[in-house]
């Protein structure tokens, strides 16, 4: 039973990573930028969610508000920062992205205070459900279900809709896509909108889980999400999902097995190094959705 | 001179060595590293342990550089297997691995770190002179390396390693040489840091420092020794100059990074070059 509990914890963390990594993978697939400011959008979603929920008393308003603002900021970051820098080597955009992350984190600190804010009313933080003998928090169940639904929708979007097909075409070969009449700009805006929306939703969910958000909320997940998209095979959404779950589970088992010698991040680091040494192109198939 | 100024100069000197050492790996040889702080940390911890064991400072520094360089070559082996962003993330993982190990290792004090490290006996000013002299030596070496055959081979590897291989350059060996030199210098810088603060904790060598070092290189102008020195000085002094801005300091730091990247994507050195060209065109 103990091992099943560990597995479940791992999968829940893996889902959290997957939600973060999905937007990053999409941006990377399209623009080859390590979009580190994505972490700040995640934090933004969490803050907006809490502020709106506390002001209105309704969680159902928190999600749309968080999504709306995350999408807006995501698109603004693309338009103002990345688009002018696309012609330069990728680390230029990476440093600028880091600048955005610092500005936003400090912005949160100034706006909401160093210590962060809790939910005033969070009925889900203590509510638990017993599923086949495993006691789960309702927010944890929501997190897993949301991940499954969002990734399913994303899959349908990429495989079945015109703009999804255009997105994949642009990812594979932007110039060819343009000559076939794909509007690359629309694809990029859609990309940032979807990725940021997922990050915003993830932010609110994780804030609900922790019942709390602070300015550096996104930091831990940000570098781990970077590791995940690389592990997944850069730009491969399927690979990123596998990598997220793998890392989540490896961390939860690893902390029990070798927790006395290594911390959680170091365990993730070892998994990453070993996998990349065996498969230098990551887990996913290149070019696959 | 007040001790505040001496301290600032010392830190700037240490950061110059750190940034130049990363520039050899990332700027000259084109291997982006996001885990440089690990080698800085290895040097710092090695020096701390050696000084606590009573080894004289200069000897401890050299030994630490050798230790960091040896680990660096081992990590450099990864660069033969993975490239570009994959390498950046692998080195980032090395950074977290280092941090995780020293946090839990009781020999190096775990979370509490190492303290009570004996003073060098050179005094505050003497230590600052030592740092500045090493920084000057590193800069001279870096200039020399840039104009030397090894430097040209690095450039060839950086721009296209398949093409470099085709013209008979032993790509793997030069990557390892770049990693070896760069990480050894980072270890030396770490040793100087230990001697300066005489109290080290794991968090001093986290991901943030790796990123800061990369910022210094990119803001200064990747591959340009003079530019990187300017970048290191600018990013070290910037938070001090804007101390009055209090809460808004980090925000300004972010703005600085964005502004430099927007208006001079090839860094300060690129800005200077285009300014000179502009003047040349006018006259």
């Amino acid at each position: 039973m103990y091992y099943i509990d560990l597995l479940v914890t791992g999968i829940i963390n893996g889902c959290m990573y997957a939600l973060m990594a999905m937007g990053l993978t999409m941006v990377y697939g399209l623009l080859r930028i390590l979009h580190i400011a994505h972490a700040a959008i995640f934090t933004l979603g969490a803050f907006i969610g809490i502020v709106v929920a506390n002001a209105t008393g309704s969680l159902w308003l928190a999600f749309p508000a968080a999504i709306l603002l995350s999408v807006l900021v995501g698109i603004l970051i693309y338009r103002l920062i990345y688009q002018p820098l696309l012609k330069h080597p990728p680390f230029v955009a990476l440093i600028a992205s880091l600048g955005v992350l610092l500005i936003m984190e400090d912005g949160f600190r100034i706006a909401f205070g160093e210590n962060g804010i809790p939910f005033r009313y969070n009925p889900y933080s203590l509510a638990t459900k017993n599923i086949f003998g495993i006691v789960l928090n309702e927010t944890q169940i929501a997190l897993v279900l949301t991940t499954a639904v969002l990734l399913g929708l994303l899959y349908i979007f990429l495989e079945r809709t015109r703009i999804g097909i255009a997105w994949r075409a642009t990812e594979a070969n932007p110039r060819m896509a343009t000559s076939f009449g794909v509007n690359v700009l629309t694809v990029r805006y859609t990309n940032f909108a979807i990725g940021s929306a997922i990050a915003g939703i993830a932010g609110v969910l994780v804030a609900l889980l922790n019942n709390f958000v602070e300015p550096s909320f996104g930091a831990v997940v940000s570098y781990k999400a970077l590791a995940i998209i690389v592990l997944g095979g850069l730009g491969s959404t399927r690979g990123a999902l596998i990598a997220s779950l793998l890392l989540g589970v490896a961390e939860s088992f690893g902390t029990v097995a070798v927790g006395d010698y290594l911390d959680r991040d170091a365990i993730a680091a070892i998994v990453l190094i070993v996998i990349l040494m065996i498969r230098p192109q990551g887990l996913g198939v290149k070019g696959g959705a | 001179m007040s001790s505040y100024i001496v301290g600032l100069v010392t830190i700037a000197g240490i950061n110059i060595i750190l940034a130049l050492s990363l520039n050899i790996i990332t700027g000259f040889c084109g291997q982006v590293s996001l885990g440089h702080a690990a080698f800085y940390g290895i040097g710092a911890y090695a020096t701390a342990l050696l000084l606590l064991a009573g080894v004289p400072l200069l000897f401890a520094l050299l030994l630490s550089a050798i230790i960091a360089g040896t680990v660096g070559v081992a990590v450099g082996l990864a660069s033969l297997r993975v490239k570009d962003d994959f390498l950046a993330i692998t080195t980032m993982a090395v950074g977290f691995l280092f941090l995780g190990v020293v946090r839990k290792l009781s020999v190096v004090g775990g979370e509490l770190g190492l303290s009570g490290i004996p003073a060098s006996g050179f005094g505050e000013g003497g230590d600052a002179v030592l740092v500045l002299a090493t920084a000057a030596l590193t800069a001279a070496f870096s200039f020399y390396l840039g104009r030397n055959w090894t430097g040209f081979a690095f450039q060839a590897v950086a721009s296209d390693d398949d093409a470099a291989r085709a013209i008979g350059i032993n790509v793997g060996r030069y990557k390892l040489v770049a990693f070896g030199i760069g990480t050894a210098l980072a270890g030396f810088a770490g040793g100087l840091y230990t001697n300066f603060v005489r109290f080290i904790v794991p968090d001093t060598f986290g991901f943030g420092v790796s990123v800061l070092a990369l910022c210094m290189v990119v803001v200064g102008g990747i591959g340009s020794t003079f530019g990187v020195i300017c970048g290191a000085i600018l990013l070290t002094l910037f938070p001090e100059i804007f101390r009055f801005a209090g809460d808004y300091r980090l925000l300004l730091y972010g703005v600085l990074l964005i502004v430099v990247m927007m208006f001079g994507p090839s860094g300060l050195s690129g800005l200077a070059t285009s300014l000179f060209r502009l003047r040349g065109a006018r006259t």
Side-chain angles (χ1 to χ4, degrees):
Chain A
M1 221 55 233
Y2 177 58
Y3 289 103
I4 295 177
D5 272 344
L6 278 181
L7 184 69
V8 170
T9 317
I11 290 174
I12 290 166
N13 279 331
C15 287
M16 186 172 87
Y17 295 154
L19 285 181
M20 271 295 285
M22 220 35 72
L24 274 178
T25 304
M26 290 171 72
V27 172
Y28 189 89
L30 212 52
L31 304 175
R32 306 282 151 202
I33 292 172
L34 291 175
H35 172 39
I36 205 164
H38 197 61
I41 294 183
F42 171 76
T43 316
L44 177 77
F47 268 117
I48 299 300
I50 288 194
V51 167
V52 170
N54 284 353
T56 62
S58 157
L59 263 178
W60 299 112
L61 280 175
F63 278 97
I67 293 171
L68 196 71
L69 249 95
S70 303
V71 168
L72 199 69
V73 173
I75 287 180
L76 271 179
I77 291 177
Y78 167 69
R79 180 64 197 86
L80 298 177
I81 310 290
Y82 295 145
Q83 194 169 304
L85 293 178
L86 282 179
K87 52 185 182 292
H88 301 296
F91 51 78
V92 171
L94 173 66
I95 302 283
S97 184
L98 191 71
V100 175
L101 179 68
L102 285 177
I103 292 175
M104 288 181 69
E105 267 191 11
D106 214 35
F108 297 139
R109 197 164 285 130
I110 293 161
F112 303 108
E114 184 83 51
N115 300 322
I117 44 176
F119 274 99
R120 197 173 298 149
Y121 174 70
N122 178 0
Y124 304 105
S125 76
L126 295 173
T128 53
K129 271 209 163 48
N130 192 322
I131 300 172
F132 306 122
I134 305 161
V135 180
L136 283 175
N137 186 309
E138 279 184 1
T139 322
Q140 291 177 321
I141 300 170
L143 185 71
V144 175
L145 290 180
T146 315
T147 312
V149 169
L150 284 179
L151 295 188
L153 285 177
L154 188 65
Y155 182 76
I156 295 171
F157 167 77
L158 290 178
E159 295 291 322
R160 296 288 150 82
T161 64
R162 280 186 73 83
I163 192 148
I165 293 164
W167 185 86
R168 282 190 295 143
T170 317
E171 186 186 14
N173 190 336
R175 204 177 293 167
M176 191 76 97
T178 319
S179 68
F180 273 88
V182 172
N183 186 344
V184 175
L185 212 59
T186 315
V187 170
R188 285 181 185 157
Y189 281 130
T190 318
N191 182 47
F192 270 86
I194 294 177
S196 306
I198 297 178
I201 297 171
V204 184
L205 280 171
V206 178
L208 270 172
L209 198 61
N210 298 347
N211 202 19
F212 169 70
V213 57
E214 47 157 352
S216 55
F217 187 60
V220 182
V221 206
S222 77
Y223 53 71
K224 219 159 269 176
L226 283 184
I228 284 164
I229 67 165
V230 167
L231 202 54
L234 286 163
S236 153
T237 36
R238 194 181 300 147
L241 176 62
I242 299 170
S244 306
L245 294 175
L246 189 74
L247 215 58
V249 173
E251 275 180 9
S252 78
F253 279 97
T255 350
V256 176
V258 290
D260 291 344
Y261 313 102
L262 293 166
D263 67 1
R264 207 184 154 87
D265 291 348
I267 292 164
I270 290 182
V271 174
L272 178 92
I273 294 170
V274 168
I275 293 181
L276 281 185
M277 287 304 111
I278 298 167
R279 281 185 68 106
Q281 295 302 316
L283 294 167
V285 186
K286 234 187 163 166
Chain B
M1 270 203 291
S2 76
S3 127
Y4 170 70
I5 300 285
V6 175
L8 214 54
V9 169
T10 311
I11 280 293
I14 292 171
N15 280 342
I16 287 174
I17 303 175
L18 183 66
L20 283 175
S21 72
L22 180 61
N23 189 44
I24 291 173
I25 301 172
T26 302
F28 289 174
C29 203
Q31 310 300 306
V32 177
S33 168
L34 277 175
H36 209 52
F39 306 103
Y40 185 55
I42 289 172
Y45 270 99
T47 304
L49 289 175
L50 289 167
L51 288 180
L52 283 171
V55 177
L57 177 67
L58 288 178
F59 192 62
L61 285 175
L62 285 176
L63 212 58
S64 307
I66 292 170
I67 294 170
T70 313
V71 181
V73 171
V75 171
L77 287 173
S79 74
L80 309 182
R81 190 104 175 103
V82 288
K83 274 193 197 176
D84 304 329
D85 295 321
F86 288 95
L87 179 65
I89 299 302
T90 308
T91 48
M92 178 182 94
V94 170
F96 281 109
L97 187 55
F98 166 75
L99 219 54
V101 170
V102 291
R103 276 209 179 116
K104 298 276 179 176
L105 206 63
S106 52
V107 190
V108 294
E111 289 283 3
L112 299 174
L114 292 167
S115 55
I117 295 157
S120 63
F122 299 151
E124 216 174 39
D127 283 341
V129 170
L130 174 69
V131 168
L132 287 184
T134 345
L137 272 177
T138 311
F141 173 69
S142 183
F143 271 119
Y144 167 75
L145 197 62
R147 277 156 187 69
N148 173 287
W149 205 89
T150 311
F152 293 139
F154 283 163
Q155 271 178 32
V157 175
S159 48
D160 186 340
D161 54 355
D162 287 329
R165 199 170 287 120
I167 56 169
I169 291 170
N170 188 337
V171 172
R173 198 174 76 196
Y174 279 100
K175 280 184 183 173
L176 291 184
V177 168
F179 264 97
I181 298 175
T183 53
L185 280 171
F188 199 92
L192 288 172
Y193 177 79
T194 296
N195 181 48
F196 171 59
V197 292
R198 299 213 304 249
F199 167 65
I200 52 173
V201 285
D203 284 336
T204 321
F205 311 101
F207 185 48
V209 177
S210 298
V211 171
L212 179 68
L214 189 65
C215 284
M216 287 172 181
V217 170
V218 175
V219 164
I222 190 155
S224 150
T225 302
F226 189 67
V228 170
I229 295 173
C230 295
I233 296 175
L234 175 70
L235 292 191
T236 310
L237 297 188
F238 191 86
E240 298 300 324
I241 298 167
F242 283 90
R243 202 167 268 279
F244 66 85
D247 275 351
Y248 295 87
R249 204 150 54 130
L250 257 171
L251 203 141
L252 287 171
Y253 205 86
V255 172
L256 173 82
L257 291 183
I258 293 176
V259 166
V260 174
M261 289 302 104
M262 284 288 172
F263 296 101
S266 37
L268 298 174
S269 77
L271 269 182
T273 319
S274 48
L275 269 179
F276 275 120
R277 266 201 210 122
L278 213 64
R279 268 176 56 192
R282 273 192 199 140
T283 48

